[in-house]
């Protein structure tokens, strides 16, 4: 991909992000932060490439450390979001009681 | 270009990116949110598996037979094991933390998670700098001095930005974590001439990122890194506790831009899409928080709001006007006679962990035929949506919880406004007093209710902005002075 192609993806994704985030209900702003935090750990892709690459021992260990940090975020971020979202309940119907 | 990627691989990353968009889309309503979160997990799984499959670590082994010798490429099982172990270790720490963390500690947790993304970005950028050929961003050249990997100038800028934003996110989030966790005072710490220092350091790092395109020496890269760590620290240290919702959102945004910058370096669409989503998400949240405080983003970042105001508050702004004190029994009686009660929670409720007993009070009132609603100001608490999560934790149905603009007109037809742990967000001075530091901030019109019950620890403490609240001294206000949790427990007892 050339630079203009990836720049186009970036700019369009910014617009998608703008409209998607405005439609998030304010009650879910905390889970929004938790889940965006989890998905920004997609940086693990770079960490995995670094840890798998031969040629630089320092680069490999930095990569492995980044894999650990990003994994904490991925698993922790999605799990805590799940925990929060499971708490949001609608009013119980009187009939259900 | 050296980025000759298999189209299926590029397609897989694109699918991952789309899953992340759907994850955020799901959050538009609590009913679709859990499905959204699962999309996020699927997207992440696709991205990780694709990378693992396309980047299997290999070693070259010498195979010697009876009459031949050959160099063959084989899977490096040790390296594979190390990677799997690293993921497992991270998963164990992450899952344990997520399961154990108290909901009231969510702002600290989010800040801590942001710092990890920042540090991971720094490490990935550093790894890419040390081994650029593996990342496909450099041309290996043979010079008289030996083999040199010459990094593409465009990649150098992307890498420089990635490491700088990552480092700012890391050190800024660490400070935010320490402040939110109470390891560091919530009061802003003001260095003399801090604006000059901040701008100087910022200018130096921008200049160095530019210079990096001409000279890829290690000192340039590491100086950018160190300066950026310093910026993050200097930026967040002067910001006070109640401005934390803006800071946490801003750092959220930065962690996204850091991921996007690394995505540019790696030409990876999943990272670029995610980075753009997270970056805009954090930016929008910062904007919403600033608007809710009627402050400009620049003035929040410039810091020091709390310091000046509290100095003034200690001096002369407090008055010795008469006020009424009520008991738990008075409050219980007033609320049980009411047709509608609106509860206004704030950070004080979170500190006192009063959300569960508050819901119990709501249940008791509802059993007596009182309509109970909750009103949430956008900046109540320490992060966006903080109060909503705590009320959800206490099993308050989300359709009883209302945002400021949806409920503000109802106070005039409400019998009792029950303010617990909130202060500045109810201050009518924001509407009338042009000299007030919070003038222009949208506030909840609690004073329009027939009676205001104001739960507060003592009359001495002022809100974050350090301004006196007129509501305390009004004829229709009854102050309930006690610890929030203790007071609500007493009211619950009195309601029996």
């Amino acid at each position: 991909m050339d630079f203009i192609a990836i720049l186009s993806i970036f700019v369009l994704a910014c617009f998608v992000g703008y409209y998607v985030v405005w439609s998030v209900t304010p009650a879910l702003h905390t889970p929004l932060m938790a889940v965006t935090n989890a998905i920004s750990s997609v940086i693990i892709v770079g960490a995995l490439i670094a840890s798998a690459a031969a040629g630089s021992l320092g680069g490999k260990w930095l990569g492995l450390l980044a894999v650990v940090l990003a994994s904490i975020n991925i698993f922790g971020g999605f799990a805590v979001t799940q925990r929060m979202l499971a708490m949001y309940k609608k009013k119980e119907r009187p009939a259900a009681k | 270009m050296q980025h000759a990627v298999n189209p299926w691989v590029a397609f897989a990353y694109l699918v991952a990116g789309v899953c992340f968009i759907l994850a955020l889309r799901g959050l538009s309503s609590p009913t679709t949110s859990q499905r959204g979160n699962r999309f996020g997990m699927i997207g992440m799984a696709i991205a990780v598996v694709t990378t693992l499959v396309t980047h299997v670590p290999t070693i070259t082994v010498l195979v010697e037979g009876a009459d031949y010798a050959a160099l063959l490429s084989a899977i490096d099982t040790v390296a594979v094991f190390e990677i799997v172990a690293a993921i497992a270790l991270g998963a164990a720490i992450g899952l344990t933390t997520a399961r154990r963390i108290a909901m009231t500690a969510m702002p600290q947790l989010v800040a801590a998670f942001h710092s990890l993304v920042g540090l991971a970005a720094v490490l990935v950028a550093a790894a890419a700098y040390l081994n650029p050929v593996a990342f496909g961003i450099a041309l290996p050249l043979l010079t008289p001095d030996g083999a040199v990997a010459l990094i593409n100038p465009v990649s150098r800028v992307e890498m420089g930005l990635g490491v700088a934003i990552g480092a700012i996110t890391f050190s800024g989030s660490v400070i935010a974590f320490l402040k939110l966790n109470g390891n560091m005072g919530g009061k802003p710490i003001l260095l003399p001439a801090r604006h000059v220092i901040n701008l100087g350091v910022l200018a130096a790092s921008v200049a160095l990122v530019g210079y990096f395109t001409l000279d890829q020496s290690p000192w340039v890269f590491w100086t950018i890194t160190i300066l950026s760590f310093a910026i993050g620290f200097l930026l967040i240290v002067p910001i006070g506790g109640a401005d934390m919702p803006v800071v946490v959102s801003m750092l959220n945004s930065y962690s996204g831009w850091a991921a996007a910058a690394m995505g540019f370096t790696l030409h990876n669409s999943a990272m670029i899409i995610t980075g753009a989503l997270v970056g805009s998400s954090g930016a929008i949240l910062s904007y919403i928080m600033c608007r809710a405080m009627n402050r400009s983003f620049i003035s929040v970042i410039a810091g020091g709001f709390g310091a000046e105001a509290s100095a003034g508050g200690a001096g002369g702004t407090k008055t010795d006007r008469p006020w009424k004190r009520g008991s738990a029994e008075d409050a219980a009686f007033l609320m049980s006679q009411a047709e509608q009660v609106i509860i206004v929670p704030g950070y004080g409720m979170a500190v006192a962990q009063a959300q569960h007993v508050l819901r119990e009070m709501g249940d008791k009132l509802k059993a007596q035929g009182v309509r109970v609603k909750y009103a949430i100001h956008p900046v109540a608490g320490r992060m966006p949506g903080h109060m909503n999560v705590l009320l959800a934790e206490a099993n308050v149905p989300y359709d009883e919880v209302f945002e400021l603009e949806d409920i503000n007109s109802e106070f005039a037809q409400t019998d009792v406004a029950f303010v617990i742990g909130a202060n500045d967000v109810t201050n009518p001075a924001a509407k009338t007093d042009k000299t007030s530091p919070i003038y222009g901030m949208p506030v909840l019109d609690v004073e329009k209710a027939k009676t205001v019950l104001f739960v507060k620890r003592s009359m001495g403490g002022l809100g974050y902005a350090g301004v006196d609240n007129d509501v305390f001294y009004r004829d229709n206000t009854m102050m309930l002075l006690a610890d929030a949790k203790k007071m609500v427990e007493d009211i619950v007892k009195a309601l029996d």
Side-chain angles (χ1 to χ4, degrees), chain A residues 51-66:
Chain A
S51 354
S56 161
L57 205 59
K60 183 188 146 177
W61 284 107
L62 290 180
L64 279 173
L65 185 56

Side-chain angles (χ1 to χ4, degrees), chain B residues 184-443:
Chain B
M184 197 172 168
K187 281 233 178 76
I189 299 164
L190 301 177
L191 296 170
R194 62 183 196 281
H195 297 310
V196 180
I197 299 176
N198 288 357
L199 288 176
V201 178
L202 188 66
S205 20
V206 171
L208 273 176
V209 173
Y211 180 66
F212 194 43
T213 57
L214 305 172
D215 177 4
Q216 63 171 41
S217 332
W219 74 265
V220 185
F221 182 82
W222 297 114
T223 313
I224 294 174
T225 315
I226 291 165
L227 284 181
S228 307
F229 278 128
I231 295 176
F233 175 82
L234 293 169
L235 207 57
I236 309 303
V237 156
I239 302 180
D243 280 336
M244 278 301 151
V246 181
V247 170
V248 175
S249 318
M250 185 186 81
L251 292 167
N252 183 237
S253 177
Y254 287 178
S255 69
W257 303 129
M262 293 320 295
F264 272 96
T265 310
L266 301 176
H267 292 224
N268 182 302
S269 58
M271 281 168 89
I272 293 171
I273 294 175
T274 315
L277 288 179
V278 178
S280 27
S281 163
I284 290 172
L285 290 177
S286 313
Y287 168 76
I288 295 175
M289 295 300 114
C290 286
R291 190 181 56 180
M293 294 195 289
N294 191 38
R295 301 185 59 202
S296 74
F297 185 69
I298 300 293
S299 79
V300 174
I301 294 312
F305 182 57
E308 295 147 35
S310 60
T317 54
K318 270 194 73 191
T319 47
D320 293 320
R321 284 189 280 168
W323 48 277
K324 273 188 298 196
R325 179 170 187 159
S327 68
E329 288 72 29
D330 300 336
F333 176 76
L334 275 167
M335 285 195 282
S336 60
Q337 299 301 309
E339 208 170 293
Q340 171 159 297
V341 172
I342 298 181
I343 298 172
V344 180
Y347 183 57
M349 180 196 78
V351 174
Q353 305 255 19
Q355 66 271 30
H356 298 280
V357 64
L358 191 65
R359 197 256 314 154
E360 218 179 298
M361 184 185 94
D363 285 350
K364 285 252 158 71
L365 288 172
K366 277 191 273 178
Q368 300 187 13
V370 182
R371 239 189 351 267
V372 179
K373 290 179 177 175
Y374 296 80
I376 310 240
H377 192 277
V379 290
R382 285 292 185 263
M383 71 184 290
H386 192 184
M387 292 298 124
N388 301 80
V389 172
L390 294 180
L391 292 177
E393 186 202 11
N395 277 323
V396 172
Y398 62 79
D399 34 12
E400 286 177 12
V401 183
F402 295 88
E403 301 302 318
L404 177 125
E405 56 267 36
D406 299 328
I407 200 164
N408 227 4
S409 56
E410 280 193 37
F411 281 104
Q413 293 95 46
T414 297
D415 304 290
V416 179
F418 187 82
V419 184
I420 173 166
N423 186 354
D424 291 338
V425 298
T426 64
N427 196 338
K431 290 177 282 190
T432 51
D433 181 4
K434 285 205 169 109
T435 61
S436 171
I438 58 169
Y439 179 73
M441 169 171 144
V443 287

Side-chain angles (χ1 to χ4, degrees), chain A residues 30 37 52 60 73 82-83 89, chain B residues 34 37 82 98 101 113 384:
Chain A
T30 298
N37 181 71
K60 183 188 146 177
N73 250 334
Q82 191 60 38
R83 212 181 119 195
K89 290 187 198 82
Chain B
Q34 297 201 39
N37 198 35
E82 284 166 348
I101 193 87
F113 278 168

